[in-house]
């Protein structure tokens, strides 16, 4: 049975979409059949991070409403075997969506994939609730910014209220020099958010460059943070991978 993992943050722009694209690609590269879903209706952009803008014709609402079968709705990533993608609608998710239909879509996904990563919208609105009430695990993304950490702490509470017990923290855009200057450590961030660490992802200019080259980060030729995403993906699968010493410039 596959595992559904919701990826969320309290504040927008902390790196959810980047993380969903990179972690899904890494899980696929590790040999797991992986689906990533853009749950950020209206603001969808996971297709960009996957280099799959021209692929998505159907979206998850087509599946939830019964218009299209799951197996006909997702697209296979052209350059990453084992990776598939299901888009979000360009219009808001209607308020009267049947939660049972969403649940049944995720149950079907569990029988067809090893992992499903859900790019949840920022904040704790309806998209967040649908993603988390169906997830087996959640990953909370924060940066070292106070606003992001405070939002992450609030979101962690909402995740636990939605029934998530397996909750892990990914700290993104880590710049060791900045942390030293404001006398903050990774432990301070973990304490402030109150969630166990999954991994650290450095500030990496290649995230931007890969996005603009329409290439998934893990396939980009200069791929710094891709190694850290790979470590985090391995931890998701249960491997014990120690945290790397920081090899990045400050
Ligand atoms: P969210 O989905 O949470 O709104 P995104 O993944 O879209 O956030 O990231 C917001 C912006 O930050 C994007 O421009 C992305 O390229 C950039 N970004 C994300 N993670 C990193 C990183 N580790 N290093 C550098 N830039 C990053
Ligand atoms: Mg996003």
């Amino acid at each position: 049975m596959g595992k559904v993992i919701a990826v969320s943050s309290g504040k927008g722009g902390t790196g959810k979409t980047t993380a969903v694209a990179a972690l899904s690609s890494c899980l696929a590269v590790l040999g797991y059949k992986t689906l990533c879903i853009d749950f950020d209706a209206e603001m969808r952009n996971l297709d960009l991070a996957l280099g799959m803008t021209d692929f998505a014709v159907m979206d998850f609402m087509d599946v939830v409403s019964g218009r299209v079968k799951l197996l006909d709705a997702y697209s296979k990533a052209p350059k990453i075997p084992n990776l598939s993608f299901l888009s979000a609608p360009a219009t808001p998710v209607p308020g009267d969506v049947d939660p049972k239909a969403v649940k049944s879509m995720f149950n079907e996904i569990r029988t067809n994939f090893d992992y499903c990563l859900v790019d949840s919208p920022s904040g704790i609105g309806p998209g967040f609730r649908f993603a988390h009430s169906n997830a087996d695990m959640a990953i909370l993304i924060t940066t070292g910014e106070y606003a992001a950490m405070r939002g992450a702490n609030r979101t962690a509470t909402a995740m636990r209220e939605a029934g998530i017990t397996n909750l892990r923290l990914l700290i993104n855009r880590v710049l060791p020099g900045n942390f030293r200057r404001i006398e903050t450590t990774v432990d301070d961030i973990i304490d402030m958010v109150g969630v166990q660490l999954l991994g650290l992802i450095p500030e990496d200019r290649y995230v931007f460059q890969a996005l603009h080259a329409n290439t998934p980060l893990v396939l980009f030729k200069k791929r710094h943070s891709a190694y850290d995403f790979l470590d985090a993906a391995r931890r998701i699968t249960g491997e014990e991978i120690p945290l790397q010493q920081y090899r990045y410039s400050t």
Side-chain angles (χ1 to χ4, degrees), residues 83-105:
L83 181 63
S84 300
F85 163 60
L86 180 57
S87 182
T91 50
V93 172
D96 59 353
V97 172
D98 181 3
K100 284 196 201 122
V102 181
K103 194 175 210 47
S104 118
M105 175 180 76

Side-chain angles (χ1 to χ4, degrees), residues 17 40 45 119:
T17 301
D40 204 351
N45 57 3
D119 187 3

Side-chain angles (χ1 to χ4, degrees), residues 34-218:
T34 305
L35 175 71
C36 52
I37 306 190
D38 196 338
F39 239 54
D40 204 351
E42 293 181 277
M43 305 302 274
R44 60 194 181 144
N45 57 3
L46 182 56
D47 54 327
L48 292 168
L50 293 165
M52 289 182 69
T53 31
D54 298 328
F55 285 73
V57 181
M58 309 296 171
D59 60 65
F60 73 81
M61 273 312 298
D62 289 317
V63 181
V64 168
S65 65
R67 285 190 289 273
V68 179
K69 288 196 171 80
L70 173 71
L71 295 175
D72 296 325
Y74 59 76
S75 312
K76 289 190 175 198
K79 292 183 189 149
I80 306 180
N82 292 324
L83 181 63
S84 300
F85 163 60
L86 180 57
S87 182
T91 50
V93 172
D96 59 353
V97 172
D98 181 3
K100 284 196 201 122
V102 181
K103 194 175 210 47
S104 118
M105 175 180 76
F106 279 110
N107 283 339
E108 197 182 348
I109 288 170
R110 281 189 188 90
T111 61
N112 284 284
F113 291 90
D114 298 314
Y115 287 100
C116 168
L117 271 76
V118 185
D119 187 3
S120 165
S122 300
I124 49 177
F128 174 93
R129 283 197 297 279
F130 275 133
H132 289 78
S133 55
N134 287 288
D136 307 297
M137 174 186 180
I139 298 174
L140 185 54
I141 314 273
T142 188
T143 63
E145 253 182 73
Y146 281 121
M149 292 191 280
R150 189 194 286 167
N153 179 283
R154 171 73 193 92
T155 307
T157 305
M159 285 169 158
R160 291 190 184 100
E161 282 167 4
I164 299 283
T165 50
N166 188 0
L167 172 56
R168 302 293 291 275
L169 182 67
L170 194 64
I171 305 178
N172 189 23
R173 309 196 76 158
V174 174
L175 266 176
N178 266 359
F179 280 24
R180 274 198 299 279
R181 264 167 233 130
I182 61 168
E183 295 182 0
T184 296
T185 65
V186 167
D187 287 341
D188 292 336
I189 298 177
I190 296 169
D191 286 350
M192 180 149 175
V193 179
V195 171
Q196 194 193 339
L197 191 65
L198 175 70
L200 301 171
I201 307 296
E203 174 71 29
D204 179 6
R205 65 183 186 278
Y206 297 125
V207 169
F208 176 86
Q209 291 183 21
L211 196 63
H212 285 265
N214 202 29
T215 304
L217 183 65
V218 293

